[in-house]
Amino acid sequence: MNQQKINELKQWMKEEKIDLTYISDPHHIAYFSGYESDPHERVLALFISLESEPFLFTPALEVEDAQNSMWDYPVYGYMDGENPWEKIAQHIKKNGLPKRIATEKEYLSIARFEALRFYFPAADISTNATPIVEKLQLIKTEAEINLLLEAGNWADVAFEIGFQAVAEGAAEQEIIAEIEYQLKRKGVRSMSFDTLVLTGKNAASPHGTPGAATVTSGDLVLFDLGVVWKGYCSDATRTVAYQEPTAFQKEIYAIVLEAQLAATAAVKPGITAGELDQIARSIIEEAGYGEYFNHRLGHGIGTTVHEFPSLITGNDLVIEQGMCFSMEPGIYIPGKVGVRIEDCVHVTANGCEAFTKTPKELQILG
């Protein structure tokens, strides 16, 4: 349970005259409460009140797990045949009717918004809590950074397993299966997103779908992967060669590597998110491949694999010590080649440190 962040949220509520904040995103619920769950279609909620104890509301089959988690406050539940919102309203009304309720507009469904409005018709529910939650997550504590370093170490283990599985005729899905099987044997419960292994021309799709395509001599093979470790995520990309690559492939790789290293070297408190994107982008543009770098430089990382902020040209957010984000330039030329190199980093007093340590120079396997 993150009592410090709950207190900071309550301070914001006091300043904004908010009586009750409804956290509905399961990842954000885990961030504040320490209780992780995927409720599927059922209602999972965290209610933080300015004047009374916060409480978790879960499906009945999860109440015991929630009570045995790091959460130190009440847990209430509901049976599948019960109306969850009627029970939620009963618990809230014990401490009086809230006049102003903040919700996570980027996550809250229309059906649940309407349920909130039905049971609290006199309340003002126009305030969006998402920006303050994102702000609270933005600067990581030392403990959070240590967990992200552990998650990054597991990503390095995954790369090692994956590189060993690259061979003539090995299918993308087979390599993924080997990575995830070996990680589970070592105690990693889940990946932070669907593992990508894309070989040859397939790597020219930044978020391609792995399948039956097999590795052949001269292919570049792109690995994009990460794990969830003690509630925190890793996310990293390496592109390797199977046997000797062409001069063109080496050229593209060298440009992406230069962009990734230059942007990473520029990370420090005081620079802006947009400036970092532009440093990497300008290198790729000057090499003549700007149109093939078709996504932002990076995104925040923490309890979810994509968090605030977005590192994109024009973003004036000033980088501060403790922020954590990805640095992932790429060049994707359809039908020819795809290269991406990615580390997630945390900002230090005068630079940054990557969570993953797998070498970035072009590795030639086989």
Side-chain angles (χ1 to χ4, degrees):
M1 187 179 79
N2 199 330
Q3 185 66 57
Q4 176 184 336
K5 296 299 181 179
I6 291 174
N7 291 342
E8 291 178 19
L9 178 62
K10 291 180 75 170
Q11 180 59 37
W12 169 81
M13 292 169 62
K14 184 177 180 180
E15 293 168 359
E16 298 296 321
K17 297 181 172 56
I18 302 296
D19 302 303
L20 184 72
T21 296
Y22 166 32
I23 304 297
S24 51
D25 183 335
H27 296 294
H28 292 163
I29 291 171
Y31 176 73
F32 286 107
S33 72
Y35 176 62
E36 297 178 49
S37 170
D38 180 358
H40 304 291
E41 77 283 359
R42 296 182 174 98
V43 174
L44 175 71
L46 171 62
F47 289 95
I48 298 176
S49 169
L50 193 59
E51 301 297 338
S52 58
E53 283 188 321
F55 69 87
L56 267 175
F57 188 82
T58 77
L61 72 171
E62 295 187 22
V63 168
E64 184 176 358
D65 288 342
Q67 290 172 333
N68 292 332
S69 71
M70 293 184 289
W71 181 244
D72 292 334
Y73 294 109
V75 178
Y76 304 119
Y78 77 101
M79 301 292 289
D80 283 348
E82 295 179 309
N83 180 340
W85 285 98
E86 186 174 315
K87 301 199 74 171
I88 287 169
Q90 289 171 358
H91 292 300
I92 291 173
K93 289 176 180 178
K94 290 176 185 177
N95 298 297
L97 287 170
K99 295 179 181 178
R100 296 191 68 199
I101 302 174
T103 66
E104 295 181 286
K105 290 187 177 181
E106 278 76 359
Y107 188 83
L108 188 62
S109 70
I110 293 174
R112 293 179 183 180
F113 174 82
E114 289 180 343
L116 199 63
R117 189 167 57 184
F118 177 81
Y119 283 98
F120 302 97
D124 176 353
I125 52 177
S126 63
T127 302
N128 187 8
T130 300
I132 184 61
V133 174
E134 290 179 339
K135 184 178 179 181
L136 291 175
Q137 289 183 303
L138 187 58
I139 307 298
K140 267 57 176 183
T141 65
E142 183 178 353
E144 287 180 298
I145 288 170
N146 286 335
L147 289 173
L148 287 163
L149 283 164
E150 291 179 25
N153 179 66
W154 280 112
D156 286 326
V157 172
F159 282 134
E160 183 179 359
I161 296 167
F163 295 169
Q164 291 176 355
V166 172
E168 184 76 30
E172 295 165 339
Q173 286 282 44
E174 290 174 345
I175 297 171
I176 292 169
E178 182 65 17
I179 292 170
E180 297 188 358
Y181 170 68
Q182 293 294 344
L183 287 178
K184 284 188 179 295
R185 290 192 64 189
K186 295 176 186 294
V188 174
R189 291 177 55 192
S190 62
M191 308 304 288
S192 51
F193 55 94
D194 289 342
T195 303
L196 288 183
V197 175
L198 301 168
T199 189
K201 297 176 182 179
N202 288 353
S205 175
H207 283 174
T209 302
T214 57
V215 176
T216 60
S217 179
D219 276 352
L220 294 184
V221 185
L222 187 151
F223 290 78
D224 189 354
L225 51 81
V227 310
V228 180
W229 182 253
K230 298 179 182 177
Y232 283 78
C233 297
S234 54
D235 180 9
T237 305
R238 293 293 185 270
T239 306
V240 299
Y242 176 64
Q243 300 184 349
E244 190 62 29
T246 66
F248 176 65
Q249 290 170 325
K250 290 180 179 179
E251 175 196 353
I252 297 300
Y253 192 95
I255 295 166
V256 175
L257 179 60
E258 181 185 357
Q260 209 272 348
L261 292 175
T264 302
V267 175
K268 61 181 180 180
I271 197 168
T272 69
E275 287 171 335
L276 291 174
D277 180 274
Q278 192 54 43
I279 288 168
R281 197 167 302 279
S282 62
I283 289 170
I284 294 174
E285 288 174 344
E286 289 168 10
Y289 296 101
E291 66 182 291
Y292 302 113
F293 179 19
N294 53 15
H295 56 75
R296 62 190 174 181
L297 174 64
H299 54 79
I301 192 165
T303 56
T304 58
V305 75
H306 280 191
E307 288 187 359
F308 182 76
S310 180
L311 275 64
I312 187 67
T313 297
N315 185 350
D316 294 330
L317 177 74
V318 176
I319 299 302
E320 299 178 49
Q321 185 174 350
M323 288 184 182
C324 301
F325 45 77
S326 69
M327 310 286 285
E328 49 180 304
I331 294 176
Y332 317 93
I333 305 175
K336 293 184 178 180
V337 66
V339 173
R340 180 166 65 255
I341 303 169
E342 173 190 14
D343 288 310
C344 289
V345 305
H346 71 94
V347 183
T348 62
N350 52 19
C352 70
E353 178 187 4
F355 296 125
T356 36
K357 313 299 182 185
T358 300
K360 288 182 278 194
E361 292 74 20
L362 180 60
Q363 296 189 51
I364 301 176
L365 309 177

